[in-house]
Amino acid sequence: MIVDVATYADGRRGEVQDLSGALQHCRGQVEGFLWLGLENPGEDELARVAEALGLHPLAVEDAVEGHQRPKVERYGDTLFVVLKALSYFDERSAVETAEVMLFVDDRFVVSVRRGRSRSLAAVREALQADPERLRRGPHAVLHAVLERLVDEYEAIDLELERDVAQMEEQVFSPERSSDAERIYNLKREVLEVRRAVAPLVTPMKQLLAGGGGTGLDGVEGLGGVDGTDGGEQALLELRDVLDGLVRTVEHVEGYDRLLTDVLNAHLAQVSVRQNDDMRKISAVAAMFAVPTLVAGVYGMNFEHMPELDWRWGYPTCLLLMLGICLGMYRAFKRSGWL
């Protein structure tokens, strides 16, 4: 479905009454650009947009099928950008992934969202409130979307940091708990974030290291990234986004390694506790073995056994068994078995 569509000229929004006409005349515009937002579009709907704007079939196929790795590809004068949008649900400490795909040209931007991703309406509203930034053209949209998604990555990074710290504290607390499943689930969430953010680093660096220093691999006219002052500002902004992305990747990779160590430490603790339990069980069994042996001997009911006719034989036998058990208890206590 179409979420929003508008033209932008001189930093101002223009409403679109006829989408077909706007698409057909998009490349013929003297100034400004068209921004078309789509959410979970069907193949026919996207094919109509692709035919009007001349989008490359391979890029359109990726947009229809989804489930793509983060990447930046150039088809003629059009950039095709695939990004992962992340959502964090604090009540269950879960991360969900969706896709945001952008077709960026010097005269149009087509944004395609798939999955349960947050709307780009906030990005559009922020740009419309800043006409000077919007005058840079489609590149401003590309940067704004990248900036918003990386900000979300950094917010999720902080949530994961808290979750990992709590898990680490719980594992090394004196209280006994079974944390292996929770550690594994948290590790899966960290890997989900890592798969979303880590592959984007290389395309971002390629975007900044494009031909001729433009940072966009020769795509002309894309938002003023052309060596002018506006282009230099755009490159600085993209570098800032890349810095935030790299920090997030480094943190997430650190969480992954730390959770592996925490899981190994937890398993080692479980093994140590099992050994302690086995020693305690063995010590108690040994303490009961001696009186059981004595009682078993005197329970055989033979006629000729020592002390059977002695008046103090029974209490003496009980005191002997109690004394042996107390001696074994003290010995096990000193050795740390109890």
Side-chain angles (χ1 to χ4, degrees):
M1 60 177 291
I2 296 177
V3 179
D4 197 0
V5 58
T7 59
Y8 296 90
D10 195 28
R12 299 183 180 277
R13 178 186 174 106
E15 298 299 330
V16 173
Q17 303 298 331
D18 180 13
L19 178 59
S20 298
L23 292 174
Q24 291 174 3
H25 295 88
C26 182
R27 288 185 175 274
Q29 292 178 8
V30 176
E31 60 179 10
F33 65 96
L34 174 77
W35 185 356
L36 171 63
L38 302 172
E39 181 178 2
N40 297 317
E43 185 175 356
D44 295 338
E45 185 178 19
L46 198 54
R48 183 165 65 94
V49 174
E51 182 179 0
L53 298 180
L55 303 180
H56 196 280
L58 292 177
V60 175
E61 181 181 352
D62 288 345
V64 171
E65 294 180 355
H67 306 292
Q68 304 294 314
R69 282 173 56 86
K71 61 183 179 179
V72 177
E73 295 179 339
R74 183 167 67 90
Y75 295 95
D77 292 337
T78 303
L79 280 181
F80 178 57
V81 184
V82 178
L83 305 169
K84 296 292 186 180
L86 300 178
S87 301
Y88 183 83
F89 298 91
D90 187 56
E91 63 277 5
R92 48 193 176 96
S93 297
V95 177
E96 289 191 4
T97 305
E99 285 182 302
V100 175
M101 288 164 277
L102 300 174
F103 296 89
V104 186
D105 196 88
D106 57 342
R107 287 294 180 261
F108 64 81
V109 176
V110 178
S111 58
V112 180
R113 294 190 293 116
R114 291 199 174 278
R116 296 174 55 186
S117 65
R118 296 180 181 178
S119 173
L120 297 178
V123 178
R124 191 186 289 260
E125 292 173 1
L127 285 173
Q128 291 174 171
D130 189 358
E132 186 62 31
R133 185 180 181 187
L134 198 54
R135 287 190 185 96
R136 299 177 189 170
H139 174 72
V141 177
L142 174 61
H143 171 260
V145 173
L146 286 169
E147 185 178 40
R148 174 58 62 91
L149 293 181
V150 172
D151 286 345
E152 292 178 357
Y153 296 164
E154 292 179 326
I156 292 175
D157 175 21
L158 294 176
E159 296 289 348
L160 291 176
E161 182 180 13
R162 283 193 286 268
D163 289 344
V164 172
Q166 291 175 359
M167 182 62 66
E168 186 178 16
E169 181 179 353
Q170 182 172 339
V171 166
F172 290 101
S173 67
E175 298 180 1
R176 288 198 174 194
S177 59
S178 180
D179 298 317
E181 184 176 358
R182 291 187 57 202
I183 297 172
Y184 178 74
N185 289 335
L186 182 55
K187 187 174 177 65
R188 286 190 62 182
E189 301 303 327
V190 169
L191 289 176
E192 185 78 12
V193 176
R194 184 179 180 181
R195 283 195 295 265
V197 301
L200 185 58
V201 173
T202 299
M204 282 289 295
K205 290 180 178 179
Q206 292 173 349
L207 196 65
L208 284 166
T214 63
L216 289 173
D217 202 17
V219 178
E220 298 177 356
L222 196 56
V225 186
D226 52 8
T228 63
D229 292 340
E232 291 297 327
Q233 179 63 27
L235 288 176
L236 291 176
E237 291 173 349
L238 283 176
R239 289 194 186 100
D240 183 65
V241 172
L242 177 60
D243 288 342
L245 179 64
V246 171
R247 282 196 305 271
T248 301
V249 172
E250 291 175 348
H251 292 170
V252 171
E253 290 177 346
Y255 302 150
D256 186 25
R257 292 191 296 269
L258 180 58
L259 284 173
T260 299
D261 294 338
V262 169
L263 180 59
N264 291 334
H266 173 68
L267 295 177
Q269 284 183 335
V270 170
S271 179
V272 170
R273 287 168 180 170
Q274 287 178 341
N275 290 335
D276 289 341
D277 292 341
M278 288 301 299
R279 287 193 300 180
K280 291 177 181 178
I281 293 172
S282 300
V284 172
M287 290 167 57
F288 277 97
V290 173
T292 301
L293 176 62
V294 175
V297 170
Y298 278 91
M300 290 187 291
N301 297 322
F302 290 115
E303 292 184 2
H304 303 288
M305 294 184 67
E307 316 302 341
L308 285 179
D309 298 326
W310 187 34
R311 182 177 180 181
W312 300 103
Y314 179 68
T316 301
C317 186
L318 292 180
L319 289 174
L320 176 63
M321 289 188 290
L322 179 61
I324 293 174
C325 288
L326 289 175
M328 294 180 67
Y329 176 80
R330 293 185 61 185
F332 286 132
K333 195 72 174 177
R334 286 196 301 267
S335 65
W337 280 47
L338 288 174

